[in-house]
Amino acid sequence: MASGNAIRGTRVGSGPMRWAERGEQAPRRSVRYWCANGHETEPSFASEVPIPETWDCPRCGLPAGQDQEHPPAKPRTEPYKTHLAYVKERRSDADGAAILAEALARLQQRRGG
Ligand SMILES: [Zn+2]
């Protein structure tokens, strides 16, 4: 009696075979990445493509890593500015405005205004 049940339970083959065939048709795998802002993204890659270590977050552009607890640090694109740098920047802005005003004045003269 017990052996009959065991035989019925060993009907293997058809199920797993179907899955293997499907897997060959779409050899893709999705990888989850997290950025420093906590955004989660899950791009999928073809199985023959190596999985990149980091992925640019589609929401904020920061590099995202596969370790949710330790996402890549935010890149310091903007260096710390000293007070002098701010003053210089402001002055160059003023210069730019003056040049623009001068150009406009010349333009108006040329038009005969
Ligand atoms: Zn992000």
Side-chain angles (χ1 to χ4, degrees), residues 39-101:
H39 299 142
E40 185 184 323
T41 181
E42 193 172 352
S44 60
F45 303 93
S47 60
E48 67 266 24
V49 174
I51 302 295
E53 222 169 280
T54 59
W55 188 257
D56 284 348
C57 174
R59 283 205 249 174
C60 66
L62 286 178
Q66 295 174 52
D67 188 352
Q68 184 177 16
E69 299 300 321
H70 304 96
K74 297 181 185 182
R76 289 177 174 271
T77 50
E78 211 166 316
Y80 175 72
K81 279 180 189 168
T82 62
H83 179 69
L84 186 66
Y86 272 116
V87 171
K88 275 185 186 172
E89 196 170 76
R90 219 177 299 159
R91 196 166 59 193
S92 71
D93 275 350
D95 287 348
I99 290 165
L100 188 68

